[in-house]
Structures are given as C-alpha cells and as structure tokens.
C-alpha cells in the first residue's frame, strides 16, 4: 500500500540543457573550466558554498510535509545525480530518473516514478532559493481546488508585438501574473493531465487548465528566482550573502 493518503511527494525537474548559462571566460566559479569552451552546468555551479541543485533539494528535504522526492535529470547525468544525492544526504530522494524530450515529458516520468500520493509538488531544480514555508503555503492554497501555483503580479508594462517587432497592443497588467514553482497538485489530477494533454505546455498548470480544471494562484516570492543566466547566479549570490549578514545594530 502507498504512503498515507495525506502524503506530499515532490518531483524536482532538472532535465533541461541550461544552454543560456553560456560559456565561462574565467575560472571565477572554481569549476576548472576556464577556457574549456564548455557551457556551465547551472545545476552544479557553486552558490553560497554548495551547488545550485543542493539548495533546491534541501528545502524539500527540510520540509516536514514532504515524504519523498524524485529527481529528474538528463540520461547522461543519472550516475552523477545518484552520487550527488548520496553525498549530500538527501534521503527523501527515492529515485533519480531520466527525463524526456520536453519539460512536460520529464515531469510525467517523474510523477510516474514518484508513485501514488495525495499531493505532488513540481519544482524547477534551477530555483535554488525556494523555502519550506513557500511549499507549505502552496499545499494550503491547493486544498480547495486541487491545484495551486505561486505567482507575482507584473510590475512592468507588457506589450504584445508581431514578428516584425512592431507593437500590436498593450496588455492589461492588472490581470497578468509571473508564475513560479513549486506548483502543487492533487496527484490524480496531475497524472490525468499528463495522460490526456499532448500539446506543448510551458508549465503543468497549463495542462490542467486545458482540461477545464481550476488552478489557484498564491503569493510567490521575489527571491524565488530561476537561475537561467550568469546574471541570475550573481543576483542569487547577493541574496544569500545579504541573508547571511548579521543585522545592523
């Protein structure tokens, strides 16, 4: 029999290419890759003394509501991922599995590897500043609808443009949100969405939306940034340094 009906599992998706991190011109990060011409692997780049991925996994490891996790990686990184999990003591990670050609394929494989539970959190491994509190708030928000996503209201003016870069219209930003992870779902709803929706989707909530299922928004965190470019990594370093600094007298 599976774990308690009230259980929360997590799928940490880290199967992307990370191509936008670029190629290092110096060995500032201590990776021994200076001048190698190889793109940085953002998952294992040091951030505040430990790899980016370790920060993301640690939040779920430390959250009492989370009972088990699955880490989804590219096939070529599976052995490295298993060693990584063992070396860092992430004993809630029960499986390290390979991803698919699309993000949604990787999530589906992770959900299937996780196995039945009442709730599942889907999180991008490249969002290292996630906290246990945000996970718990998402679980609470999903209680009524079966699905909830963290999001921030857009602060900038948003314009829609055509292929020629000419503005078509200005959108009403009061109704627009920038969505983050972790996204929390009832396991059965998320599994159904991945089985029935085959069109490309940029996040899991969009798949439930395609089935007409309700998704609630709850307040995200401006600190919960996604590491996509070297500039994101610099910002995350600054955030961690500021949080570790003693309060001014």
């Amino acid at each position: 029999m599976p774990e308690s009906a009230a259980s929360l599992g997590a799928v940490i998706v880290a199967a992307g290419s990370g191509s936008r991190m670029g190629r290092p011109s110096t060995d500032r990060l201590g990776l021994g890759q200076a001048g190698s011409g190889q793109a940085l692997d953002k998952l294992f780049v040091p951030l505040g003394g430990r790899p980016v991925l370790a920060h993301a996994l640690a939040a779920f490891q430390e959250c009492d509501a989370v009972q088990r996790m699955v880490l989804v990686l590219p096939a070529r990184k599976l052995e490295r991922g298993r060693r990584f999990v063992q070396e860092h003591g992430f004993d809630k990670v029960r499986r390290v599995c390979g991803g698919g050609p699309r993000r949604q394929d990787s999530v589906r494989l992770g959900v299937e590897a996780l196995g039945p539970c009442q709730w599942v959190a889907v999180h991008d491994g490249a969002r290292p500043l996630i906290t246990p509190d945000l996970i718990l708030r998402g679980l609470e928000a999903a209680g009524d609808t079966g699905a909830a996503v963290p999001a921030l209201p857009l602060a900038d003016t948003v314009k829609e443009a055509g292929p020629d870069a000419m503005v078509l219209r200005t959108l009403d930003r009061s109704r627009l949100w920038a969505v983050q992870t972790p996204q929390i779902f009832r396991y059965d709803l998320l599994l159904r969405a991945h089985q029935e929706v085959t069109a490309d989707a940029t996040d899991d909530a969009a798949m439930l939306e395609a089935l007409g299922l309700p998704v609630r928004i709850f307040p995200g965190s401006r600190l919960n940034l996604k590491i996509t470019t070297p500039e994101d990594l610099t910002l995350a370093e600054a955030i961690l340094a500021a949080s570790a600094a003693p309060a001014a007298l």
Side-chain angles (χ1 to χ4, degrees), residues 10 29 34-35 41-42 48 52 75 77 79 89 98 115 120 138 140 148 168 170 178 199 230 238:
L29 297 174
D41 187 337
K42 65 182 179 182
V52 165
K77 297 180 184 176
E79 287 306 315
V120 56
E140 181 179 2
L168 299 176
T170 299

Side-chain angles (χ1 to χ4, degrees), residues 45 62 95 125 130 133 136 147 156 160 172:
V45 167
E62 295 164 9
R95 291 276 305 277
I130 176 65
D133 176 69
L136 292 174
D156 297 323
E160 180 183 353
D172 179 6

